[in-house]
Amino acid sequence: MTPDFETQLRAVSLRVTRPRLAVLRALRDHPHVDTDTVIALVRAEQPTVSHQAVYDVLRALTDAGLVRRIQPAGATARYESRVGDNHHHVVCRSCGAIADVECAVGHAPCLTASDDRGFVVDEAEVVYWGTCPDCATERTVQRSASSEGSR
């Protein structure tokens, strides 16, 4: 997979560096992670990489369009390498897990604004909020246990 990353970096006029490759690998293998997690993943591969270097790489990759920064309301910023397809996200209100959701209609921009105010809309950002399967199961188990305890 590294040659693909090298090609992607060169296509946007970025130099191929070990930190950039490590960040791209981390985001490919662990989508929707925050900056601290990216730093830990990169440092597991390259212990001497500084925090600032990872911040700089994330900024450069985001600016170049190779990485997408998302920040659901009330959450820390997360990063992913899935770009260019206008997909959306579902976020668990309980644990904060994030998963990709395909475009609501199937073609960009997914939603048509009732009044675009003269803007040329080319993307819609949609965040679905709910409870992930693990948290829903945990709540069901907790409710069952508490109802049995009250008998």
Side-chain angles (χ1 to χ4, degrees):
M1 288 283 182
T2 299
D4 289 339
F5 291 146
E6 292 174 4
T7 301
Q8 290 174 4
L9 288 166
R10 287 186 180 108
V12 295
S13 301
L14 289 177
R15 286 183 322 128
V16 176
T17 64
R18 285 188 307 234
R20 287 177 179 159
L21 293 172
V23 168
L24 287 169
R25 279 191 294 273
L27 295 176
R28 175 198 61 206
D29 297 339
H30 306 276
H32 311 123
V33 291
D34 62 15
T35 307
D36 289 339
T37 303
V38 175
I39 291 168
L41 292 166
V42 169
R43 282 190 149 176
E45 184 179 319
Q46 298 179 21
T48 59
V49 173
S50 71
H51 283 69
Q52 189 60 50
V54 174
Y55 283 110
D56 292 345
V57 167
L58 286 169
R59 185 177 314 108
L61 295 176
T62 301
D63 290 347
L66 295 178
V67 167
R68 182 176 176 191
R69 181 181 185 272
I70 60 170
Q71 188 166 9
T76 59
R78 308 287 184 101
Y79 295 87
E80 65 180 344
S81 58
R82 183 177 171 185
V83 296
D85 66 351
N86 201 40
H87 69 280
H88 308 302
H89 298 95
V90 60
V91 181
C92 180
R93 290 184 188 280
S94 185
C95 71
I98 299 175
D100 291 334
V101 177
E102 297 308 317
C103 191
V105 171
H107 55 85
C110 299
L111 301 174
T112 303
S114 61
D115 181 358
D116 62 21
R117 306 281 182 165
F119 284 67
V120 176
V121 178
D122 61 10
E123 181 177 356
E125 186 172 308
V126 177
V127 177
Y128 299 97
W129 292 88
T131 306
C132 72
D134 290 341
C135 291
T137 300
E138 185 178 311
R139 284 184 179 175
T140 301
V141 169
Q142 289 174 347
R143 276 185 270 176
S144 295
S146 67
S147 65
E148 287 179 15
S150 62
R151 290 183 192 174

